[in-house]
């Protein structure tokens, strides 16, 4: 994992849709996180940190590296009709391969939501063997919410 950490965040919604205040729901809708265990990759901008801080009790995030971005694209990226993406789709988007797309996503030069026909999110499954930490606390308190240092390893269990 010595690859250069990017200027983009992998964000995963960890909590469900019940009893979520309107303002948090709106923010998560803007990030395309409308269901539990949805993940997205967004480039780091001025407003990104503010949005993440606002919904930190519902999501967890970490800077993404190229290898994780590539793995997510290969296993979980979908287009309309929930079909897997093909090499043909990559060339239509203007990338030579998933490696190129993963690199540009990880360094924040392209946003997932701007890549039509790709869906702007990845649907993850609940982690195999469950969470190792508390799901109701912030990362600093021994939980999984907020800025999460081990999220990439966790997401690998969810693919």
């Amino acid at each position: 994992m010595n690859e250069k950490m990017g200027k983009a965040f992998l964000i995963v919604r960890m909590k469900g849709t019940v009893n979520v205040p309107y303002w948090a729901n709106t923010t998560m809708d803007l990030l395309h996180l409308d269901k539990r265990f949805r993940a997205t990759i967004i480039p780091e901008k001025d407003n990104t940190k503010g949005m993440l801080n606002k919904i930190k009790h519902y999501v967890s995030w970490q800077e993404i590296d190229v290898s994780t971005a590539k793995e997510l694209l290969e296993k979980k990226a979908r287009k309309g009709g929930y079909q897997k993406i093909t090499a043909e789709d990559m060339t239509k988007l203007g990338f030579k391969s998933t490696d190129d797309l993963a690199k540009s996503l990880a360094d924040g030069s392209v946003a997932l939501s701007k890549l039509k026909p790709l869906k702007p999110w990845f649907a993850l499954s609940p982690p195999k063997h469950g969470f190792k930490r508390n799901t109701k606390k912030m990362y600093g308190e021994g939980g999984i919410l907020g800025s999460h240092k081990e999220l990439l390893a966790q997401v690998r269990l969810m693919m």
Side-chain angles (χ1 to χ4, degrees), residues 68-137:
T68 310
K70 181 176 189 273
E71 205 174 331
L72 268 170
L73 286 167
E74 286 171 350
K75 291 184 179 176
K76 291 293 184 179
R78 296 288 186 265
K79 57 185 182 183
Y82 211 69
Q83 300 164 321
K84 288 193 169 196
I85 54 171
T86 60
E88 198 177 295
D89 297 324
M90 283 295 148
T91 50
K92 280 184 190 165
L93 289 169
F95 295 97
K96 291 186 192 81
S97 65
T98 49
D99 291 339
D100 286 357
L101 180 54
K103 200 168 283 161
S104 51
L105 276 173
D107 64 26
S109 59
V110 68
L112 199 57
S113 54
K114 301 280 185 269
L115 299 172
K116 302 287 179 254
L118 286 189
K119 298 222 177 270
W121 41 260
F122 305 106
L124 302 175
S125 38
K128 292 180 180 93
H129 311 302
F131 289 106
K132 301 287 181 261
R133 300 169 68 101
N134 191 325
T135 56
K136 294 179 172 146
K137 291 183 178 174

Side-chain angles (χ1 to χ4, degrees), residues 18-86:
V18 178
N19 288 343
V20 178
Y22 165 80
W23 51 268
N25 246 340
T26 308
T27 308
M28 287 189 274
D29 284 345
L30 290 172
L31 294 171
H32 308 286
L33 300 172
D34 49 344
K35 291 181 180 173
R36 190 170 187 210
F37 301 132
R38 282 277 163 91
T40 190
I41 300 171
I42 59 166
E44 186 175 1
K45 293 193 187 117
D46 300 337
N47 61 350
T48 309
K49 276 282 207 231
M51 288 172 95
L52 291 176
N53 252 340
K54 196 171 177 182
I55 57 171
K56 66 184 176 197
H57 294 283
Y58 303 95
V59 300
S60 103
W61 70 87
Q62 184 182 7
E63 277 194 5
I64 191 165
D65 58 14
V66 179
S67 62
T68 310
K70 181 176 189 273
E71 205 174 331
L72 268 170
L73 286 167
E74 286 171 350
K75 291 184 179 176
K76 291 293 184 179
R78 296 288 186 265
K79 57 185 182 183
Y82 211 69
Q83 300 164 321
K84 288 193 169 196
I85 54 171
T86 60

